[in-house]
Amino acid sequence: MIYIILGLGVCFCSYVTYLIFFWQWKKSCQPFYNKEETLILGHRGSPKMMTENTIPSFQQAIEQGVDGIELDIRLSKDKQIVVFHDKDLKRMSNRTEQIKDLSLSELQTVALHKQRGQLDDVYIPSLNDVVPILKDIGLINIEIKSEGLLQGHGIITPLITFLNKHQIDDKCIISSFNPLILMLLRIRRPETLIGFLYHKKRFFHRWDNMIWMLRVQPENLHIHYSLLDSWVVKWARKKGMRINSYTINDGDIYHKAKAEGLNGVFTDNIEYLK
């Protein structure tokens, strides 16, 4: 019995070693990457100049010459995908309701706070409202927001419907801090390009995130710039993953990361990096 247990232990350790150090999962093609250039993505558009996550903000980012845009999505009360970061309206308006408690039509009547010098009122767009500007960008990163590991899964089905309808797989990455959502999306729609958002607020976060990446099998690792020197980034590169970093608003940090081969950067200050 002891030899059987020892044998099983050796087999298990060998399997784990194989997964961590040798196994490579199949990754979908990402034609938007340029080997010699670091992609610049407008984080929620151009939020220093126009209200974040709105059509004018995305248009402003495009005018500033970004390679792509990043936006956040949530599900409304009537199961429509809306472009919004926070779970409630407190920070972005004078109202306090949660996004999940209002319908799309109700949300689109909420006037959002404007940036200094911004003249026109702005409102919460749906994901469908973003479609007309997709032709003007090389890449869109859609981040699924979630309040917990077991929450937010309802957005997967309408998102798959959207992706199937618009066929933007050659220019779209889906990311989330919720690895279970990404895992379920990978299972249900394997061709989707996935960006694994590294979560620092976990015990033994490097090992925790590595284990989840082995399960999710993403094409990209999205990680805070303070962790770019971490072994987990080197491990991800050896696994063939592209590395994109958030949120780099400092030119010196950007140029250092670019020199080290960073594939993409999310930034609020497009004008500092272009």
Side-chain angles (χ1 to χ4, degrees), residues 1-272:
M1 180 62 71
I2 293 177
Y3 292 110
I4 293 175
I5 293 173
L6 288 175
L8 291 173
V10 170
C11 289
F12 176 76
C13 291
S14 299
Y15 178 63
V16 171
T17 299
Y18 168 72
L19 289 179
I20 292 176
F21 295 105
F22 302 103
W23 178 56
Q24 293 276 353
W25 57 87
K26 183 179 179 181
K27 299 173 184 66
S28 298
C29 178
Q30 302 187 87
F32 40 80
Y33 282 115
N34 184 324
K35 292 182 179 179
E36 299 179 357
E37 294 294 332
T38 299
L39 297 178
I40 296 179
L41 288 87
H43 182 236
R44 308 179 199 171
S46 184
K48 297 297 184 181
M49 302 185 74
M50 294 286 180
T51 305
E52 67 179 54
N53 276 328
T54 62
I55 301 302
S57 188
F58 302 141
Q59 292 171 330
Q60 177 65 39
I62 292 169
E63 290 176 8
Q64 290 176 266
V66 293
D67 299 297
I69 59 172
E70 184 269 355
L71 56 82
D72 307 288
I73 60 171
R74 291 182 175 274
L75 209 57
S76 66
K77 183 178 180 180
D78 53 346
K79 309 305 178 186
Q80 301 298 307
I81 301 177
V82 297
V83 180
F84 202 76
H85 179 274
D86 301 355
K87 67 178 181 180
D88 57 49
L89 295 166
K90 292 178 184 178
R91 180 175 65 91
M92 297 300 299
S93 76
N94 295 319
R95 297 174 56 165
T96 60
E97 299 99 324
Q98 293 197 6
I99 301 301
K100 64 182 180 63
D101 294 330
L102 296 175
S103 67
L104 174 60
S105 60
E106 290 173 322
L107 288 167
Q108 293 192 314
T109 65
V110 179
L112 303 176
H113 296 318
K114 294 183 285 188
Q115 295 293 68
R116 180 177 298 178
Q118 187 176 340
L119 300 178
D120 295 334
D121 290 339
V122 284
Y123 301 87
I124 300 172
S126 70
L127 187 56
N128 288 323
D129 293 332
V130 179
V131 172
I133 66 174
L134 293 180
K135 66 183 186 301
D136 299 321
I137 57 173
L139 173 60
I140 178 172
N141 184 98
I142 299 173
E143 180 183 339
I144 302 172
K145 304 306 293 184
S146 170
E147 309 313 318
L149 190 64
L150 300 178
Q151 297 179 306
H153 297 189
I155 204 167
I156 296 175
T157 295
L159 178 59
I160 289 175
T161 300
F162 175 88
L163 295 174
N164 288 341
K165 177 180 179 181
H166 296 288
Q167 292 297 305
I168 55 174
D169 293 308
D170 62 339
K171 62 163 59 181
C172 180
I173 297 173
I174 306 297
S175 64
S176 181
F177 280 109
N178 187 328
L180 189 53
I181 284 180
L182 295 179
M183 187 182 76
L184 294 173
L185 181 60
R186 172 62 80 210
I187 292 170
R188 293 185 56 185
R189 196 174 188 275
E191 67 270 30
T192 303
L193 296 174
I194 288 179
F196 184 95
L197 267 165
Y198 188 99
H199 203 313
K200 293 195 297 183
K201 297 179 180 179
R202 294 197 180 110
F203 292 111
F204 305 108
H205 57 85
R206 290 174 178 82
W207 287 95
D208 180 272
N209 281 273
M210 183 191 71
I211 290 168
W212 272 113
M213 279 187 273
L214 288 170
R215 185 62 189 89
V216 173
Q217 301 173 29
E219 283 77 16
N220 304 274
L221 169 60
H222 296 178
I223 191 166
H224 192 267
Y225 65 84
S226 63
L227 291 169
L228 286 175
D229 292 331
S230 171
W231 64 261
V232 77
V233 172
K234 297 178 177 66
W235 174 85
R237 287 191 189 280
K238 289 182 179 180
K239 288 295 184 182
M241 298 168 63
R242 306 291 186 128
I243 310 299
N244 302 316
S245 186
Y246 62 89
T247 303
I248 297 181
N249 295 323
D250 180 274
D252 291 337
I253 294 174
Y254 165 68
H255 289 296
K256 180 178 182 294
K258 181 179 179 181
E260 294 174 355
L262 185 67
N263 298 112
V265 54
F266 302 99
T267 183
D268 297 325
N269 295 328
I270 300 165
E271 64 276 14
Y272 292 173

